[in-house]
Amino acid sequence: MEVFRIQGGHTLDGEVRVNGAKNAALPILAATLLTAETCELRNVPELSDVRFMLEILRHHGARVETPAPGVVRVTAESIHPSTPYELVKKMRASICLLGPLVGRLKIADIAQPGGCVIGTRPIDLHLKGLARLGCAITHKSGYITVDATRARGARVFLGGPNGSTVTGTANLVMAAVLTPGETVIDCAACEPEVVDLCDMLARMGARIENIGGPTLRITGVERLRGVTHTVVSDRIEAGTYAVAAALAGGEVTIRGARADHLGAFLDKFEEAGVDFDLPSHDTLRVRGSLGKLRPVDITTLPHPGFPTDLQAQFSALLTQATGAGMITERIYPNRFMHVPELTRMGAEIAVEGPTAVVKGATPLTGAAVMASDLRASATLILAGLVATGETWVQRIYHLDRGYEQFDLRLRSLGARVERLPESAMPGDLRGE
Ligand code: EPU
């Protein structure tokens, strides 16, 4: 296993370009199964989750080529409907195969994903939506079989206790585009990644009205055609670099950071006193703001609210603001696994139910810390950038699921971040 060593206290300067969004690329890759024609995807991030999705597409019988970096060509002439547990357990997002299989084959047989460290992650809303379309759903030995031979368009309310569902909306849209009749989805997720998927489906011949709105109206068509599509840029990656720059810049220019996708984040950035400007609609320039940061309160919500996927990173920022800021997590109420690790570095954070109170400004000191999920990993690295001394982050395979070459790109900005074998860690830090 590999670890990251971060030597804190070095200023970041320069330019970084964000990649295509992981959370758009995964359902978009799944959507290529909706047509027998070739789809060419561009701006696909090179991430372990993406490589894994390509493996799943091959498993289903699709021909997958990667002719150039960031380009994936998929031809799914003839596919089969079964996704085994060995595949699903490695990546929860494999559940977004459900919609395409139902749409194209009228049958899907997929292992039910388990929970993960950020929460229980149910799929009841995905199944409720398909049942409303008239699909027959059976559960057996951890597998779900969906039979859509009698499916017809219907009106579906897709909201749950925590609001809309991103992959649930993606799945229902992908099923509905090839289901006869009109499907109306109320409380559809409005995340830019869902919009990107719908835009691609529309260019494949799907009939979807009100893309980006909370009510989607879909009229089923008989078949979809191939398409060339460029994946939308990753707003979460952009926000992560923005926090890094606020903590450790210098001045960092982030290209591909779309202001229209980062509204709630930029609003809180401004309130927190971060020094930034927007030279163009997709460029964000952030200057180091230590010593000027003010505490803010944040509540995570579905888009266009503050994204849960930037909550942990923002808490690293709040450790350096003078005063107490409060973070309330409304999407995954237990998503605070980064807190004990930040505390080991000197942060003062109290968690009570779905709320964390971060008291700053506290000096951070390097320590050996453990990454628990993708965004928590990034957060510990951000904290390491401003900590004195060396921070060692273990289990960075979580990071590689969602950030392409994070170490190289931070290094290109002047950070001292290295990827090393675990054996390079001093034994006393590894707990030997
Ligand atoms: N929910 C239900 N029932 C369902 C589905 C969801 O109650 O059937 C609940 C969830 O428990 C949660 C809320 O609804 O409280 C929202 O979950 P959602 O379904 O939107 O999450 P997801 O689609 O499984 C995607 C991203 C996550 C991101 C969330 C929220 C992908 C592959 N994953 O997950 O990304 O946190 O939306 O925006 O798109 C990450 O990138 O680090 C990550 C975890």
Side-chain angles (χ1 to χ4, degrees):
M1 270 206 274
E2 291 175 317
V3 297
F4 269 20
R5 178 173 66 186
I6 304 124
Q7 287 165 304
H10 295 277
T11 305
L12 303 187
D13 264 300
E15 207 174 292
V16 64
R17 171 165 284 284
V18 299
N19 295 298
K22 164 183 82 84
N23 290 346
L26 295 175
I28 280 174
L29 282 163
T32 62
L33 297 187
L34 284 164
T35 175
E37 295 182 17
T38 301
C39 294
E40 181 168 304
L41 306 179
R42 300 182 179 165
N43 202 31
V44 179
E46 301 207 1
L47 302 169
S48 57
D49 270 11
V50 166
R51 283 191 287 278
F52 189 60
M53 182 55 96
L54 301 186
E55 202 183 301
I56 296 181
L57 296 180
R58 287 192 183 102
H59 159 85
H60 278 278
R63 193 170 76 240
V64 178
E65 298 156 291
T66 48
V71 180
V72 176
R73 228 176 262 150
V74 185
T75 313
E77 253 170 279
S78 143
I79 56 169
H80 69 82
S82 302
T83 322
Y85 186 54
E86 292 85 82
L87 294 181
V88 173
K89 74 176 178 200
K90 281 202 212 161
M91 185 177 72
R92 271 202 96 263
S94 350
I95 194 64
C96 57
L97 266 293
L98 187 56
L101 294 173
V102 166
R104 172 94 179 268
L105 299 177
K106 309 299 167 210
I107 180 93
D109 183 28
I110 190 166
Q112 176 143 7
C116 78
V117 69
I118 67 174
T120 51
R121 321 245 357 225
I123 57 161
D124 56 311
L125 297 169
H126 304 225
L127 300 180
K128 169 186 153 179
L130 292 171
R132 290 282 296 161
L133 299 192
C135 296
I137 298 173
T138 45
H139 297 257
K140 197 174 167 209
S141 313
Y143 279 75
I144 304 162
T145 303
V146 180
D147 179 345
T149 40
R150 289 163 191 269
R152 288 284 172 282
R155 186 157 202 139
V156 184
F157 180 82
L158 214 53
N162 302 326
S164 52
T165 158
V166 173
T167 44
T169 302
N171 262 333
L172 201 59
V173 169
M174 292 190 280
V177 289
L178 290 179
T179 297
E182 185 181 80
T183 298
V184 177
I185 307 177
D186 289 313
C187 201
C190 302
E191 271 67 6
E193 295 76 20
V194 175
V195 173
D196 199 35
L197 169 70
C198 290
D199 283 342
M200 167 170 129
L201 292 171
R203 290 180 34 250
M204 292 168 78
R207 290 178 58 195
I208 310 175
E209 286 170 50
N210 200 30
I211 292 176
T215 298
L216 294 172
R217 198 174 284 274
I218 299 155
T219 308
V221 296
E222 267 185 28
R223 67 180 57 81
L224 298 179
R225 52 181 177 268
V227 73
T228 297
H229 181 78
T230 301
V231 175
V232 69
S233 63
D234 194 325
R235 65 198 163 104
I236 306 301
E237 192 187 13
T240 304
Y241 282 114
V243 173
L247 286 171
E251 184 176 278
V252 177
T253 301
I254 304 159
R255 305 252 178 230
R258 285 185 49 172
D260 58 334
H261 293 168
L262 284 162
F265 172 82
L266 292 176
D267 187 55
K268 289 296 170 187
F269 229 37
E270 188 171 14
E271 200 183 323
V274 175
D275 182 5
F276 71 92
D277 64 335
L278 296 157
S280 79
H281 76 284
D282 68 349
T283 306
L284 172 60
R285 195 159 51 201
V286 183
R287 286 164 284 274
S289 304
L290 279 189
K292 291 185 268 187
L293 295 173
R294 297 186 289 265
V296 293
D297 294 344
I298 284 168
T299 301
T300 66
L301 290 169
H303 192 77
F306 192 96
T308 172
D309 293 340
L310 281 171
Q311 175 264 110
Q313 299 89 317
F314 218 91
S315 65
L317 186 76
L318 290 184
T319 66
Q320 301 308 305
T322 310
M326 194 162 77
I327 295 179
T328 304
E329 195 23 280
R330 292 249 186 267
I331 309 293
Y332 299 114
N334 300 318
R335 196 177 197 180
F336 292 115
M337 294 77 58
H338 50 284
V339 168
E341 304 302 298
L342 286 178
T343 306
R344 300 194 64 236
M345 297 176 73
E348 274 188 46
I349 308 178
V351 177
E352 177 64 43
T355 299
V357 176
V358 186
K359 274 198 214 151
T362 46
L364 300 180
T365 50
V369 288
M370 197 71 85
S372 54
D373 82 322
L374 169 57
R375 308 301 168 190
S377 324
T379 301
L380 298 176
I381 294 162
L382 299 183
L385 295 176
V386 278
T388 50
E390 282 185 356
T391 299
W392 294 82
V393 183
Q394 292 171 273
R395 300 199 183 154
I396 51 149
Y397 53 86
H398 291 294
L399 185 86
D400 294 330
R401 293 186 34 227
Y403 291 92
E404 187 178 322
Q405 302 192 319
F406 201 47
D407 47 338
L408 293 184
R409 306 175 90 216
L410 283 174
R411 237 178 11 243
S412 76
L413 295 172
R416 301 276 170 89
V417 179
E418 288 164 286
R419 181 186 290 266
L420 298 168
E422 196 166 26
S423 57
M425 259 181 103
D428 55 331
L429 292 184
R430 269 186 282 152
E432 282 174 1

